[in-house]
Amino acid sequence: MNVYLSDILTACILFPVVAFLITVPYMIYQYRRRGSVPKLHTAIVYSFVFYLTCAYFLVLLPLPADRTAYVAYAATPQLVPFNFVHEFLAETTFSPSDPATWLRVLRDPYIYEAFFNVLLLLPLGAYLRYYFRRRWWQALIIGFLVTLSFETTQLTGLWGIYEHPYRLFDVDDLIQNTLGAMVGFWLAGPAMRTLPDLRTANLRAAEAGLSASVTRRALSFALDSALTAALAVGSIYLVYRSGLVAAPIGAKATAAQALEATTAQISDALLPARLCILIALVIVFFIVPVVTRGRTPAQALLHLRIVRTGARRASWYHYLARYGLLFVFIWIPWGLFTLLTEVGGSSIGSEAGTLATFASQNTEACIAVLAVFTVAWVVSLIVRGVRAASGRAPFVMLNGMLSRTRIMTESGLAAERARLSALSVDDVRKLEQLIAEGGISLASLMRCAGEAVADEVRTWAGGPVRVCVLTGSGNNGGDGWVCAESLARSGYPVTLITPKTAEELTAEPARTEARSSLKRTLEGEFPLTVAVAPEADDAARALDEAEVVVDAILGTGFTGSSLREPYATWISLANLRRFKGPRGKGRGAHRARTGKPSKRASGTTLRDRRKDAPFAVAVDVPSGYSAQAATWADPCFCADVTVTMLAMKPGLIASGAERFCGQVKLAELVDTAPYREKLG
Ligand SMILES: NC(=O)C1=CN([C@@H]2O[C@H](COP(=O)(O)OP(=O)(O)OC[C@H]3O[C@@H](n4cnc5c(N)ncnc54)[C@H](OP(=O)(O)O)[C@@H]3O)[C@@H](O)[C@H]2O)[C@H](O)CC1
Ligand SMILES: [K+]
């Protein structure tokens, strides 16, 4: 037992080093993948790395005393499956009828080692299911491969570092470890009902990723600076190595020679080095942004972009102003400080020039300027930092203010540009007509719209989960039919709820799409459950079972201030599921049966959604919400994400829209620019 504890202690000591090494790659990965670094993911990933470190140390430590150590018991691999059972039965005094022998079993090495072997990979199985979203057979393969890596490392004496195997390659270990991974996998299932939902965390991370956080920008600047340093050092090395210029102090110079070199001589010889640094700076902070239209190398890596205020594209002189000012700001206090310290130390002579002479004559004044500059800079940094932290304003650097440039995330920029180019509902209809006249039929627009929603569901779910698509009788419902077919084809179990049969729909192209989709499912091309005008209880059951609810009831065609049946009931049920959970016994069940929303359900913000609430996606606009006027009916569908078609609409960008729309994503469907021009 003490051996195990000491291995875990070694892992604890080494873990900070491992954590340090993975932090930057981990952050880059999260910024690229999810838009921000979610705390939940970070806690899980670092705990997983800690667990793996412990597991490997438990398996690999202690190491043999020296390279040639021969461990007799490990020399021949044990390849008989379940050998430990035979050994245990042969040696044990265990008797089921004698309780006095029961405790002894637990102390038997064959039993407790088997128990620890199972325990060792139990967390791996749990992580594979909960965090990595693997299926059981994938967990089985990964569990087996990990344990195989343990055993082979032992068999090969740490891949040849030691001449002989130092632990026994035992096939029973493979069986017990893999079993452990599977037990962990199965235990994770029920545990996941209480563990936080990672998919919701992903959603929040994407939302947070709309703005360029200070950490993300600081990381990008640090990476760019590291690249600049690497470029500068590399080129300085090449320049001096090539012999084109003399090194400041020759490699073979004696200490006396080095001391004899005057400051001016050193300064002259350093000029090429300074030029190399300047060129590296220009490449990273000017040439690359010009070529990539607003991204330094690290900004490209972290999906950031330099823009002008108002999300407009910046030009070369904006990059020059932004980074020129930044480096001037960094250089002024540093230069002044160097000048003053050199003057103080009298290490420069008359060669230092007029600036140094001035500094030596006005030391107090220079110190005062330096102090004022530093204090002003620190105070303004704190003020801007506090304002940013309280969410009142994005963090803007002084050079950004003066050059009228900002750093935005790619997703934030897309959202801002979509917001700025919002169209009224009437204009969207005109745009639709112009596109149709241009040769792209409304039916193909509808197919693109349905696919865009299906993609959103796939991104969130990461694998087939049960989906309920609520459709109305207009073209918004048509989008729902396309989405349902697309998801069903990808293996998602989908129930589509419709107020009328496909035949009875009147809106085109919704009717044609619904009819052909129904025909294909009846011909067995893909499975789709269609419920026509179901009873409230049946609709509630479908919603209870769903992990995703797609709202394709009403879009821009919604009129009036209230919803007619059956839509009001469906939406109430969906919102109840969202805020109150599945129907159980008691009051919630009654409300669900009557379809009447509680006060809380109709007035609750998105932050109050239940942890296990289904992912709610609204097609074009949440049903009951006016895309034009930003008014809403009671009930009104509450979405996590709204996928809106062709253009943003005024209601979706109005303040408070988030309560019903969640995060609004634009699906442009086609390149709308030429049609927007015609729109005038
Ligand atoms: N913009 C695009 O590129 C595309 C959009 N598409 C989708 O089409 C809808 C707009 O479709 P439309 O058919 O014009 O309208 P809706 O489907 O939103 O709604 C029409 C039905 O709604 C009923 N309605 C209206 N108000 C109420 C109410 N208060 N209560 C209940 N029912 C209501 C109305 O019923 P009537 O009895 O009044 O006729 C209609 O049946 C758009 O949002 C996009 O999702 C296409 O995909 C093409 C591309
Ligand atoms: K809708």
Side-chain angles (χ1 to χ4, degrees):
M1 188 61 89
N2 277 345
V3 182
Y4 294 150
L5 284 179
S6 103
D7 291 346
I8 291 174
L9 196 67
T10 315
C12 289
I13 294 165
L14 193 81
F15 177 68
V17 181
V18 180
F20 177 75
L21 291 178
I22 63 167
T23 293
V24 169
Y26 168 77
M27 287 175 82
I28 295 172
Y29 170 80
Q30 291 293 8
Y31 282 132
R32 291 177 65 85
R33 174 88 203 272
R34 308 190 198 284
S36 61
V37 183
K39 288 192 192 83
L40 180 62
H41 289 63
T42 308
I44 297 171
V45 167
Y46 279 76
S47 70
F48 179 65
V49 171
F50 176 65
Y51 154 70
L52 273 190
T53 317
C54 288
Y56 272 94
F57 278 14
L58 282 167
V59 173
L60 303 181
L61 298 182
L63 297 171
D66 61 76
R67 275 202 78 228
T68 55
Y70 180 78
V71 183
Y73 91 95
T76 323
Q78 195 298 102
L79 300 174
V80 183
F82 301 108
N83 183 52
F84 78 103
V85 179
H86 301 296
E87 299 274 359
F88 168 71
L89 292 176
E91 288 180 16
T92 189
T93 52
F94 170 70
S95 158
S97 56
D98 179 5
T101 62
W102 293 359
L103 205 63
R104 233 176 285 151
V105 174
L106 296 177
R107 292 207 211 103
D108 187 300
Y110 288 108
I111 295 303
Y112 76 68
E113 274 184 30
F115 175 71
F116 277 118
N117 271 337
V118 171
L119 211 62
L120 186 68
L121 282 207
L122 198 129
L124 177 72
Y127 278 110
L128 285 174
R129 180 161 191 179
Y130 174 53
Y131 186 72
F132 296 100
R133 301 253 146 207
R134 295 296 109 194
R135 308 269 189 88
W136 71 266
W137 56 270
Q138 292 171 319
L140 185 74
I141 295 172
I142 296 170
F144 177 75
L145 290 177
V146 170
T147 175
L148 191 66
S149 80
F150 292 164
E151 298 301 305
T152 338
T153 311
Q154 292 171 344
L155 185 70
T156 54
L158 219 68
W159 303 101
I161 293 178
Y162 296 94
E163 284 178 12
H164 305 284
Y166 63 96
R167 287 231 198 150
L168 181 66
F169 179 103
D170 191 339
V171 83
D172 280 346
D173 288 353
L174 286 178
I175 296 170
Q176 290 156 3
N177 285 166
T178 313
L179 174 72
M182 292 320 290
V183 172
F185 182 88
W186 286 312
L187 288 179
M192 274 161 70
R193 278 186 223 126
T194 45
L195 288 168
D197 186 6
L198 285 163
R199 295 174 300 195
T200 311
N202 292 344
L203 215 61
R204 302 257 179 268
E207 209 174 316
L210 290 174
S211 57
S213 66
V214 175
T215 324
R216 189 164 173 177
R217 284 162 50 191
L219 177 65
S220 135
F221 187 68
L223 291 174
D224 278 330
S225 305
L227 179 67
T228 312
L231 279 178
V233 169
S235 52
I236 289 170
Y237 175 76
L238 289 177
V239 165
Y240 288 120
R241 182 88 202 272
S242 67
L244 286 173
V245 292
I249 299 167
K252 293 193 182 108
T254 61
Q257 282 170 325
L259 279 173
E260 270 168 27
T262 64
T263 312
Q265 278 170 329
I266 294 175
S267 175
D268 285 351
L270 274 177
L271 191 64
R274 288 193 177 128
L275 269 177
C276 286
I277 296 172
L278 186 68
I279 292 169
L281 282 171
V282 169
I283 291 175
V284 172
F285 291 97
F286 180 66
I287 296 179
V288 177
V290 170
V291 173
T292 60
R293 292 187 176 170
R295 291 175 295 180
T296 62
Q299 285 167 353
L301 186 71
L302 296 173
H303 292 178
L304 293 170
R305 198 180 270 267
I306 312 157
V307 290
R308 271 197 292 163
T309 43
R312 286 167 301 162
R313 181 176 288 170
S315 304
W316 64 268
Y317 47 89
H318 290 111
Y319 313 134
L320 193 67
R322 181 178 180 89
Y323 290 108
L325 283 168
L326 178 71
F327 290 110
V328 165
F329 288 155
I330 293 174
W331 184 81
I332 288 177
W334 181 75
L336 215 56
F337 181 75
T338 322
L339 211 58
L340 285 170
T341 47
E342 283 182 352
V343 166
S346 317
S347 62
I348 53 170
S350 53
E351 307 97 330
T354 42
L355 219 74
T357 318
F358 176 81
S360 67
Q361 285 163 358
N362 303 282
T363 314
E364 284 83 10
C366 286
I367 292 175
V369 170
L370 181 63
V372 168
F373 187 91
T374 314
V375 169
W377 184 74
V378 171
V379 168
S380 93
L381 200 70
I382 292 172
V383 169
R384 280 174 288 138
V386 168
R387 278 169 64 84
S390 65
R392 273 181 286 161
F395 185 80
V396 185
M397 299 280 287
L398 212 55
N399 59 321
M401 272 186 209
L402 297 175
S403 62
R404 299 183 65 77
T405 56
R406 301 284 184 272
I407 304 283
M408 293 184 84
T409 64
E410 296 284 5
S411 57
L413 183 60
E416 184 60 9
R417 285 188 176 152
R419 206 180 67 81
L420 292 171
S421 57
L423 290 179
S424 71
V425 169
D426 281 346
D427 279 348
V428 172
R429 286 203 191 102
K430 283 183 203 153
L431 196 68
E432 231 175 279
Q433 284 312 315
L434 287 171
I435 295 171
E437 284 160 21
I440 302 173
S441 68
L442 287 181
S444 56
L445 278 185
M446 181 171 280
R447 279 193 287 274
C448 293
E451 285 296 344
V453 179
D455 281 347
E456 191 57 41
V457 173
R458 277 188 279 262
T459 307
W460 179 82
V465 295
R466 196 167 283 280
V467 180
C468 178
V469 182
L470 301 169
T471 61
S473 53
N475 283 326
N476 195 254
D479 296 349
W481 277 87
V482 177
C483 168
E485 173 170 342
S486 171
L487 290 173
R489 281 185 186 278
S490 327
Y492 286 64
V494 182
T495 302
L496 181 141
I497 296 182
T498 170
K500 297 173 180 172
T501 62
E503 279 301 330
E504 287 166 344
L505 298 176
T506 48
E508 279 296 353
R511 182 169 181 267
T512 312
E513 286 302 315
R515 283 180 65 212
S516 50
S517 192
L518 196 64
K519 185 166 165 278
R520 287 190 288 269
T521 186
L522 290 174
E523 285 168 356
E525 270 190 44
F526 58 90
L528 177 68
T529 309
V530 178
V532 181
E535 291 289 321
D537 260 9
D538 294 330
R541 205 165 302 114
L543 286 164
D544 279 357
E545 287 167 2
E547 279 191 57
V548 175
V549 175
V550 177
D551 157 37
I553 303 175
L554 297 168
T556 49
F558 164 64
T559 50
S561 56
S562 62
L563 283 167
R564 295 193 290 276
E565 288 299 348
Y567 303 147
T569 300
W570 295 355
I571 291 169
S572 299
L573 290 169
N575 284 348
L576 270 167
R577 172 85 169 83
R578 180 176 178 73
F579 298 118
K580 287 280 176 193
R583 292 176 313 158
K585 290 183 181 138
R587 291 165 59 219
H590 169 71
R591 269 200 299 274
R593 272 197 300 277
T594 56
K596 195 167 170 4
S598 69
K599 274 194 188 123
R600 189 165 178 264
S602 57
T604 317
T605 66
L606 289 166
R607 301 278 156 208
D608 297 323
R609 84 194 279 276
R610 281 177 59 96
K611 182 175 78 63
D612 60 350
F615 177 54
V617 198
V619 179
D620 206 20
V621 53
S623 300
Y625 189 78
S626 163
Q628 182 60 36
T631 52
W632 57 91
D634 189 8
C636 173
F637 188 85
C638 291
D640 290 306
V641 168
T642 297
V643 182
T644 200
M645 312 305 164
L646 288 178
M648 283 283 183
K649 287 108 196 164
L652 303 179
I653 55 174
S655 78
E658 196 221 44
R659 184 178 161 202
F660 298 105
C661 307
Q663 203 182 329
V664 184
K665 298 194 178 174
L666 172 66
E668 238 190 323
L669 309 184
V670 290
D671 178 14
T672 55
Y675 306 103
R676 275 176 180 268
E677 274 172 24
K678 285 188 196 165
L679 204 63

